[in-house]
Amino acid sequence: MKEKRRILNNDIRATSVKLIDDEWENLGTMDLAEAREKAKALELDLMLMWRSWDLTIVKMLDYGKFLYRQKK
């Protein structure tokens, strides 16, 4: 089965995003740069979860752990 390509970190293109933390808590809407800073401070990645014309949702997570759980 072909693995779905995920859009991560600097590949995300948006001006503002709704940020979800690794515990699935909504941290609100903010600039993408601010979301990147929060993820970097926690040593986590940003992964695009949903994108439409007016809403972009990204999640902070450890992408290595995410891939490990997906393969299990």
Side-chain angles (χ1 to χ4, degrees):
M1 188 165 100
K2 188 176 179 181
E3 201 171 301
K4 183 178 177 182
R5 180 173 162 4
R6 304 286 181 174
I7 300 174
L8 301 170
N9 300 316
N10 293 329
D11 293 333
I12 298 170
R13 300 287 178 236
T15 53
S16 66
V17 297
K18 184 173 280 194
L19 182 62
I20 309 297
D21 72 7
D22 58 343
E23 300 294 325
W24 289 97
E25 185 175 327
N26 183 354
L27 300 179
T29 302
M30 62 189 68
D31 289 338
L32 179 58
E34 185 180 350
R36 285 182 178 142
E37 288 174 19
K38 287 180 182 275
K40 186 176 181 179
L42 296 171
E43 297 181 358
L44 296 173
D45 299 296
L46 286 180
M47 183 169 72
L48 180 69
M49 301 298 288
W50 173 262
R51 178 176 36 201
S52 67
W53 66 275
D54 67 337
L55 177 66
T56 301
I57 301 174
V58 295
K59 183 173 189 303
M60 287 192 301
L61 51 71
D62 182 327
Y63 191 65
K65 286 182 183 179
F66 172 80
L67 287 178
Y68 175 76
R69 282 189 234 130
Q70 292 292 309
K71 290 180 182 182
K72 254 179 123 175

